[in-house]
Amino acid sequence: MPSPVPPADRPRWTSAKYSYLALGLNGGCLIVLFANLLTRNEFWQVAVALAIGLLLLGGLSAFQARRLRLKERREL
């Protein structure tokens, strides 16, 4: 039987940190899209791809925040 991995010295992220990360990533998505719209950038495909990537990462972060929030409520 393998030995258990000792816990790391650094604290784990809470659901609030993941929520703030999701908010920042989704806000970054909007900033990229609005900046592209206002500057009439010729490379709009890159801006849209970057915005979609930020939106997906923000969604994953929000999903992780939701999972942790449910787990934190069960522990109380």
Side-chain angles (χ1 to χ4, degrees):
M1 180 172 216
S3 61
V5 177
D9 292 335
R10 59 188 169 162
R12 296 180 60 87
W13 275 35
T14 62
S15 63
K17 287 186 180 181
Y18 278 107
S19 296
Y20 289 136
L21 179 63
L23 181 67
L25 289 169
N26 290 335
C29 169
L30 289 176
I31 288 172
V32 166
L33 288 176
F34 282 134
N36 184 47
L37 181 67
L38 293 175
T39 60
R40 298 180 184 169
N41 194 349
E42 294 179 6
F43 302 105
W44 62 270
Q45 292 97 347
V46 175
V48 169
L50 182 63
I52 289 172
L54 288 172
L55 192 62
L56 287 175
L57 288 174
L60 287 174
S61 181
F63 179 72
Q64 179 67 9
R66 176 77 176 151
R67 284 184 59 227
L68 281 177
R69 193 174 305 121
L70 289 174
K71 189 183 293 186
E72 290 168 356
R73 286 183 184 168
R74 283 191 204 127
E75 291 176 357
L76 293 176

